[in-house]
Amino acid sequence: MYQLHIIPALKDNYIWLLENANKQVVIIDPGEAAPVLSYLKKYHLAPLAILLTHHHIDHTGGVTELKAAYPDIEAFGPSEINLQINHLENINELLIADFRYEVIPVPGHTLGHLAYYCHPYLFCGDTLFSAGCGRIFEGDHKQMLSSLNKLKQLPDDTLICAGHEYTLTNLDFTQMLVPADQVIREYYDFTCRKKITLPSILTKEKQINLFLRCEEKNLQNKFNCNNELELFAFFRSQKDIF
């Protein structure tokens, strides 16, 4: 059984560590090195590898310093990342010691964005957030919706390990759109008492994340949209100016 660690970094980023029984860890999206180096030393953890979801600096900024401190660790990520790492192209599965990661292409936030699933943990970078999803910088609405629907097919017990602490802001936006939704209101009351709201669980996200509910006809009718993609584009455009 694995143990999950979360390290707050930068303004609102999270760096994730997944530990096996031998106190070996895989580091996901180290936006900076210092807090990771301190954490590894404090808890006597041995880094095996680094996984990167996409090329933005707040997810990759610590790679070079970590590799300098631990020359034997390997780093993996999409080919859009301009660093000396192992680029993952047409690879569906990645084995690192006793870790088995499913590699899932999720274009939208960036074109090469990857997610990594190691049951029950999903490391999804800036594609899926609790109660929200990432901005569409390089892809289009159709790509992003397809990526989210791909993640939505994972088991209900999947733990969402996203790249940022955006939950309360996302829930503020959601409540503005659907103020009568009791489940969302209760989840807001629950999370507003927490400093760290992640990981969340997929079964709850299917209830409180409007970006995962665009196929619902009642929502399409409420916002005068004709289909799932039209509603997703409407939600995303409104969130961009919220």
Side-chain angles (χ1 to χ4, degrees):
M1 193 63 182
Y2 303 128
Q3 181 177 350
L4 184 68
H5 303 263
I6 183 169
I7 304 175
L10 302 170
K11 180 183 177 184
D12 49 28
N13 277 76
Y14 286 134
I15 300 168
W16 298 93
L17 273 60
L18 196 60
E19 176 191 352
N20 66 14
N22 299 318
K23 296 189 77 66
Q24 298 169 312
V25 294
V26 173
I27 305 162
I28 296 93
D29 279 355
E32 58 180 344
V36 181
L37 292 170
S38 175
Y39 197 92
L40 294 172
K41 183 178 180 181
K42 181 177 181 180
Y43 294 100
H44 307 288
L45 299 171
L48 282 175
I50 298 169
L51 297 182
L52 302 168
T53 59
H54 64 292
H55 68 83
H56 290 162
I57 190 67
D58 60 322
H59 294 255
T60 64
V63 173
T64 300
E65 191 174 341
L66 286 170
K67 285 179 67 66
Y70 296 95
D72 292 335
I73 62 174
E74 289 192 276
F76 302 88
S79 57
E80 66 180 19
I81 296 176
N82 187 25
L83 291 171
Q84 292 296 316
I85 65 171
N86 298 288
H87 290 134
L88 300 173
E89 294 186 48
N90 302 315
I91 293 176
N92 299 321
E93 188 176 80
L94 185 62
L95 302 177
I96 303 169
D98 60 340
F99 298 99
R100 182 187 298 272
Y101 290 92
E102 182 181 347
V103 180
I104 308 172
V106 283
H109 183 68
T110 68
L111 286 177
H113 201 302
L114 297 175
Y116 303 94
Y117 175 67
C118 181
H119 181 265
Y121 307 103
L122 173 68
F123 302 99
C124 49
D126 287 0
T127 296
L128 175 62
F129 298 123
S130 182
C133 72
R135 283 181 179 268
I136 301 171
F137 287 125
E138 298 174 8
D140 57 31
H141 290 108
K142 187 176 182 180
Q143 285 176 314
M144 190 63 155
L145 177 61
S146 175
S147 294
L148 292 173
N149 282 339
K150 203 182 297 182
L151 299 181
K152 193 177 168 183
Q153 300 309 311
L154 292 170
D156 278 347
D157 67 350
T158 297
L159 295 174
I160 310 300
C161 305
H164 290 271
E165 180 60 67
Y166 290 160
T167 308
L168 290 181
T169 301
N170 288 335
L171 287 170
D172 283 338
F173 169 73
T174 301
Q175 288 192 107
M176 177 194 72
L177 290 176
V178 288
D181 192 309
Q182 184 67 22
V183 175
I184 291 173
R185 191 182 310 159
E186 289 175 356
Y187 193 69
Y188 179 87
D189 291 340
F190 170 72
T191 55
C192 73
R193 297 191 294 269
K194 301 175 69 175
K195 185 176 180 181
I196 295 177
T197 65
L198 298 175
S200 63
I201 189 165
L202 185 56
T203 187
K204 177 60 71 174
E205 290 299 320
K206 289 179 180 178
Q207 296 176 311
I208 58 96
N209 192 329
L210 290 182
F211 294 97
L212 298 182
R213 294 175 51 187
C214 294
E215 84 287 357
E216 294 182 17
K217 292 297 182 186
N218 62 323
L219 287 176
Q220 293 174 17
N221 293 336
K222 177 180 176 63
F223 296 103
N224 297 316
C225 293
N226 295 310
N227 55 54
E228 182 181 19
L229 179 58
E230 201 172 304
L231 182 59
F232 175 78
F234 171 73
F235 284 157
R236 189 58 261 178
S237 64
Q238 293 304 297
K239 184 63 170 64
D240 288 343
I241 58 175
F242 179 69

